[in-house]
Amino acid sequence: MQNMFKSRLLVLLIVAVMMLLSACGSSSSSSEAKAGSGGSDKLTIGFSQVGAESEWRTANTESVKSAITGAGHELKFSDAQQKQENQLKAIRDFIAQDVDAIVFSPVVETGFETVLQEAKTAGIPVFLADRAVDIEDDSLWTAFIGSDFVEEGRKAANWLVEEYKDHEGDVNIAELQGTVGSAPAIDRKEGFEEVLADHPKFKIIKTQTGDFTRSKGKEVMEAFLKDEGENIDVLFSHNDDMAIGAIQAIEEYGLKPAEDIKIIGVDGVKGAFEAMADGKMNVTVECNPLFGEQLVEIIESHLAGEEVEKRIAVEESVYTMDQAAELLPDRKY
Ligand code: GYE
C-alpha cells in the first residue's frame, strides 16, 4: 500500500515538473515572438520637436505624439521653441533618463555631432523626423523619415516656369526663406534655383528669412514691398504660413495677392487651401507631416532587431487654386 502511494507521488511529481518545464518553455518563446514582431513591448520614447512655428508643425507634433501614445508607449516631449540650445539640452535629458529611443527634428542642420555621439555611446538610437542633419558620420543616427525638400523646391519652380511659359521679359521674384540653416530652407532654395538656372528671365530680386512664421512673413513682405513695390511679380515662400502673412501685407499695401503678385507656398496646410479657395494664393507644394504611425513602426522594428531603411520618404503632391475648394473639406492638416 505504501509502495503504491510512493509510486503515485512520483508520477504526480514527474507530471508537475514536466508542466513547469513546458510552461517555462512557452513563456520564453512567446516573449521572443513579442520581441521579434516588434509589437507590444512598452517603450519610452523622447521626442525633441522644433517648436510650434507653423500649421505644419502643429499637425506633425500631434501625429507623432498620438502615434507614440496610441501604440502604448511612454512619451517624453520637449518643444525647442526653434532654438538649438533647447534641443541639445532636451536630448541630454533623454539620455540621462535612459529612454529606449530618441525622435529628433533638428532646428538647424549642423552642430549636433557631440550630442549625437553621446546618444550613441549610451546605446540609444536616434530617429530623425522631418529634418535631416548635415553630419559626415551617419552612424550617429539610425533612420530619417521625411520629405525631399530639394524636390519640393523644384516643384515650386516648375509650376512657375509653366505659368510664365508665354511671358516675355523678366519675372521678378521675392523669396521668403525658412529658418536660416534649417534643412527645408537650404534644400527648397537649392531645388528652386536649380530649375530656374535654365530660365534666365526669372530673377530673385529679394530674399530674406521669415523664420517659417506668419508674423515674420508679414513683416518681411512689408519691407520687400517698401523697397520694390509693384516690381515684384511672384512670391516664393518656403512655407504656407509665411505666405499667408505676406498675403496680408500685400493687401494692406493695396495690391491683389495671386493677381498682382503670384503666390507660391509649400506645405499644403488648410490655411493655404482656404487662401487658394478665396483666390488669394496660386499654388502650394505639399509636404506631408502625418508620418507619426510610420515612424513608430520604424522604431519598433529597429528595437526588435529588424533591419530598417536609412531614409524613408513621404509621398507628396502639388495643389493649385482651381482644386482648392473641392479638396479643402478633406484636408487632414
Ligand atoms: O515646411 C514648415 C515648418 O520642417 C518641413 O518646418 C518642415 C517645415 C515646414 O515650420 O512649415
Side-chain angles (χ1 to χ4, degrees):
M1 191 67 198
Q2 230 191 1
N3 268 351
M4 212 166 100
F5 180 72
K6 269 188 188 162
S7 65
R8 273 195 187 156
L9 199 67
L10 198 69
V11 170
L12 274 175
L13 262 172
I14 292 170
V15 170
V17 168
M18 279 172 69
M19 277 170 70
L20 206 72
L21 281 177
S22 86
C24 286
S26 73
S27 95
S28 78
S29 69
S30 82
S31 71
E32 270 162 28
K34 199 159 82 180
S37 69
S40 47
D41 281 348
K42 182 169 174 158
L43 305 169
T44 301
I45 301 174
F47 174 25
S48 167
Q49 177 61 295
V50 168
E53 73 283 4
S54 63
E55 270 189 58
W56 189 99
R57 189 63 57 197
T58 313
N60 178 250
T61 302
E62 174 52 27
S63 168
V64 174
K65 273 184 169 178
S66 63
I68 291 174
T69 53
H73 303 310
E74 189 185 334
L75 167 72
K76 295 192 182 291
F77 179 74
S78 174
D79 175 339
Q81 297 175 335
Q82 289 185 280
K83 292 203 175 72
Q84 179 168 39
E85 73 239 43
N86 293 345
Q87 289 202 297
L88 296 172
K89 188 177 173 306
I91 296 172
R92 293 204 164 101
D93 284 350
F94 294 150
I95 297 172
Q97 292 170 66
D98 196 25
V99 297
D100 297 302
I102 293 172
V103 173
F104 164 44
S105 181
V107 176
V108 290
E109 282 190 337
T110 54
F112 289 104
E113 273 93 349
T114 313
V115 80
L116 293 183
Q117 186 60 58
E118 287 165 26
K120 188 179 173 184
T121 308
I124 302 172
V126 173
F127 297 83
L128 297 172
D130 151 43
R131 295 183 182 178
V133 285
D134 185 5
I135 282 178
E136 283 220 348
D137 179 3
D138 69 5
S139 77
L140 294 182
W141 48 277
T142 301
F144 163 83
I145 182 165
S147 307
D148 182 340
F149 301 136
V150 179
E151 186 56 25
E152 289 169 354
R154 288 190 197 111
K155 285 179 184 168
N158 284 330
W159 179 85
L160 197 57
V161 169
E162 181 59 26
E163 182 73 8
Y164 281 87
K165 65 173 188 289
D166 301 323
H167 178 95
E168 282 172 24
D170 286 354
V171 179
N172 292 331
I173 302 167
E175 180 186 30
L176 278 170
Q177 295 186 37
T179 301
V180 176
S182 70
I186 295 167
D187 294 353
R188 285 173 186 161
K189 185 168 184 52
E190 183 189 319
F192 189 73
E193 287 180 348
E194 177 196 302
V195 171
L196 295 191
D198 294 335
H199 304 272
K201 72 181 174 195
F202 294 102
K203 308 246 173 344
I204 300 179
I205 58 163
K206 281 275 161 196
T207 182
Q208 203 180 307
T209 181
D211 211 12
F212 281 131
T213 67
R214 278 187 197 205
S215 56
K216 276 272 177 59
K218 178 166 187 266
E219 195 182 303
V220 176
M221 190 68 203
E222 280 165 359
F224 286 171
L225 286 164
K226 207 164 155 221
D227 290 351
E228 292 291 343
E230 295 182 22
N231 278 340
I232 302 170
D233 300 307
V234 174
L235 171 70
F236 170 46
S237 173
H238 288 193
N239 82 344
D240 290 337
D241 281 75
M242 292 188 295
I244 292 164
I247 287 171
Q248 237 184 300
I250 294 168
E251 288 181 319
E252 284 172 18
Y253 187 81
L255 292 175
K256 280 209 161 117
E259 282 179 34
D260 298 327
I261 299 179
K262 305 259 189 248
I263 315 279
I264 310 172
V266 183
D267 279 350
V269 296
K270 271 201 182 127
F273 276 75
E274 280 158 9
M276 291 196 294
D278 283 353
K280 296 181 178 182
M281 184 164 167
N282 301 81
V283 61
T284 182
V285 176
E286 185 179 38
C287 181
N288 185 358
L290 307 180
F291 51 69
E293 285 184 13
Q294 221 181 327
L295 170 71
V296 170
E297 274 168 30
I298 296 163
I299 297 172
E300 289 173 346
S301 303
H302 172 78
L303 290 173
E306 289 164 28
E307 193 72 42
V308 298
E309 286 203 35
K310 196 81 183 166
R311 285 178 176 275
I312 298 116
V314 182
E315 289 220 344
E316 281 139 1
S317 189
V318 175
Y319 300 104
T320 50
M321 222 166 165
D322 48 312
Q323 302 168 289
E326 193 189 330
L327 295 176
L328 182 56
D330 294 327
R331 289 303 290 171
K332 301 270 183 309
Y333 64 94

